[in-house]
Amino acid sequence: MIDVIQIYKSKGVFTKSTYNPENRKHFQDIDMSFDSRQGYLENDILMLPIHYKKFPDFETADVTIIQDTKGWLSFLENKHIKNTDVSNSFKNVPTKSILSNHESFYTLIQLDSPKAFEFFKLKKSNKDTYEVFLDYESNSKRIGIPKRENHKICDLKHSKPIRYKINGKSDFTLTGSKERTFYEYDYIIEWIGKIDTIEFCELNKISKRKTIPIDNCKLIDERKILR
């Protein structure tokens, strides 16, 4: 049996001029449901896009993680802020190059010791619980400053989703080569079930309407006040 974890991730990138309470509030507004092609669980069968066949043998996996990502470009297209002063260095970056930096599927094995994915490490502490850790040291450039210590975030149990928020900034103003940049990350992580069957589908046959369990989440907010 393979455990299946679903993650909903939102990422916002702001310039100094756009990093204000109004824009941050709009970033935190999450659509409760959306259409996904990343894969889903149905009748104890894991349905995945056919190109995920390239991953290591699923027979050896202990956990599969499906991640749906809302990138910063969709945030910039929000009607409330689309006319704000956004740096051209952000406007000119193609969507594909942004999304290519974010894996949307992971397979992990041997979770008696912590295994890395995204900003995190995951460990199976007993049959009913996973421990989730922040791996800041390996991801400091992506998260930004201020520095955090690696630490345990929470215990993850079946059907008990958690919501984790963190932010940071990159400051290149001393060199004059780049404007100060602020990052906001918002994760909803849910252990949704176990499977022993996987089916691979063509992309035009795998769309699924997903509902984010935002009202049932335990919130862990590790954001800092940034200026």
Side-chain angles (χ1 to χ4, degrees), residues 2 12 68 110 114 128 131 155 175 205-206 219:
I2 302 173
D68 289 276
Q110 298 177 348
D128 299 319
E131 295 178 281
D155 290 324
T175 64
K205 297 180 180 179
I206 199 170
L219 175 62

Side-chain angles (χ1 to χ4, degrees), residues 125-187:
S125 55
N126 59 58
K127 67 177 183 178
D128 299 319
T129 307
Y130 283 96
E131 295 178 281
V132 183
F133 303 86
L134 176 67
D135 185 13
Y136 178 83
E137 291 183 5
S138 300
N139 298 281
S140 59
K141 291 184 179 179
R142 293 173 61 194
I143 299 173
I145 56 177
K147 179 181 178 181
R148 275 86 161 183
E149 300 296 328
N150 288 0
H151 64 276
K152 179 178 174 179
I153 296 172
C154 66
D155 290 324
L156 181 67
K157 297 180 180 294
H158 186 269
S159 300
K160 295 185 180 296
I162 63 106
R163 186 175 187 180
Y164 177 71
K165 297 183 179 184
I166 192 169
N167 63 353
K169 67 178 180 179
S170 295
D171 194 349
F172 296 92
T173 56
L174 293 178
T175 64
S177 60
K178 186 177 179 181
E179 187 175 359
R180 180 177 296 170
T181 305
F182 296 86
Y183 307 103
E184 293 268 344
Y185 296 96
D186 190 346
Y187 290 90

Side-chain angles (χ1 to χ4, degrees), residues 10 14 21-31 70 75 163 165 184 186 214 221 223:
S10 296
F14 304 81
E22 182 182 4
N23 288 350
R24 293 180 69 200
K25 179 182 182 300
H26 289 309
F27 166 72
Q28 294 175 53
D29 293 337
I30 295 179
D31 293 333
K70 174 187 174 184
F75 167 65
R163 186 175 187 180
K165 297 183 179 184
E184 293 268 344
D186 190 346
I214 194 167
D221 192 340
R223 293 174 298 171

Side-chain angles (χ1 to χ4, degrees), residues 105-122:
F105 187 78
Y106 302 84
T107 57
L108 304 178
I109 63 174
Q110 298 177 348
L111 279 98
D112 52 332
S113 61
K115 297 298 187 298
F117 72 99
E118 271 291 308
F119 296 157
F120 310 105
K121 287 188 176 180
L122 190 70

